[in-house]
Structures are given as structure tokens and as C-alpha cells.
Amino acid sequence: MHELAITQSLVKIALSKAQEAGALRIRKINLKIGRLTGYVPEAVEMNFEMMVPGTRAEGAVLDIQWIPIRCRCRDCGAEYQSDQLDLTCPRCGILSGQIIDGREMFIDSIEIDN
């Protein structure tokens, strides 16, 4: 259910930026979500579709790209990527990964029509 609040913030930011740019409408919002956020993309998309009718974002495409989990081993210094929650270092086999990427969520870009 936390996708509702996140999507409200996403729409608010996108509409604000579109207004600042003098856009007539938003064509596409490119969104990046880290794998560790726990967000369900289908819930974000569904909330987005319910929130945008009658706004400059009506009919806009919401393009969600996942950011993989990327870690640095605190023991051997290796950097590695994981698509799972197993953060064991593939080089030395020790579970000491420091998470570098995978917890973020941000609007990468907004495509508009002026």
C-alpha cells in the first residue's frame, strides 16, 4: 500500500516540473526503482492511471526501469551485482556486502509537449 503515497509524490513532482517548463502535456515519465525498495510496479502503474485523468499527465506513459542490487564486499573490496537478497560476495564467499545501489527511486526524466 505504500505505493499509493509514492505514486502521489511522483505525480505531484511530474506535474510541478511540467508546469515550470510550460508544458501542455506530459508524454512520458521515466522512473527508476531499486530492487530493494519492495515497490510493486503494477501497483505504481495502477495508481498512476487512477491519478492522472484531467491533468497534464493524462495519457502519459510511465516507463519503469529496475535498478539492480549492487554491492561492495567489505572484506575483499569486490563490487558485484545481485538480483536476489543474497548479498554473499561471489569472490570470497563472505556475507559482508555493503549495498551501493538498489534502494533508490527517482524520476530520471520527463518527456513533454510544449
Side-chain angles (χ1 to χ4, degrees):
M1 289 304 290
H2 56 287
E3 286 87 355
L4 181 60
I6 290 298
T7 311
Q8 286 173 327
S9 294
L10 159 73
V11 171
K12 183 177 178 181
I13 291 168
L15 292 173
S16 174
K17 293 297 180 186
Q19 184 174 359
E20 286 175 20
L24 296 175
R25 73 177 195 100
I26 297 172
R27 278 188 282 121
K28 186 176 181 184
I29 300 172
N30 297 301
L31 183 65
K32 297 205 175 191
I33 302 176
R35 290 251 179 232
L36 287 174
T37 61
Y39 295 134
V40 178
E42 292 83 8
V44 174
E45 291 169 343
M46 182 183 72
N47 291 331
F48 181 79
E49 291 302 320
M50 290 188 315
M51 293 176 189
V52 296
T55 71
R56 294 174 194 202
E58 184 171 353
V61 173
L62 184 61
D63 183 23
I64 300 174
Q65 295 181 354
W66 286 103
I67 298 173
I69 303 166
R70 201 165 61 91
C71 299
R72 179 179 302 114
C73 179
R74 291 185 173 123
D75 200 57
C76 73
E79 288 191 12
Y80 54 97
Q81 188 171 311
S82 174
D83 286 333
Q84 304 173 4
L85 292 179
D86 179 10
L87 304 180
T88 304
C89 177
R91 183 192 291 170
C92 68
I94 295 177
L95 180 57
S96 66
Q98 174 186 10
I99 298 169
I100 300 170
D101 292 320
R103 291 185 270 196
E104 59 275 73
M105 176 181 176
F106 60 93
I107 297 172
D108 187 49
S109 61
I110 301 171
E111 299 176 23
I112 59 171
D113 288 333
N114 286 332

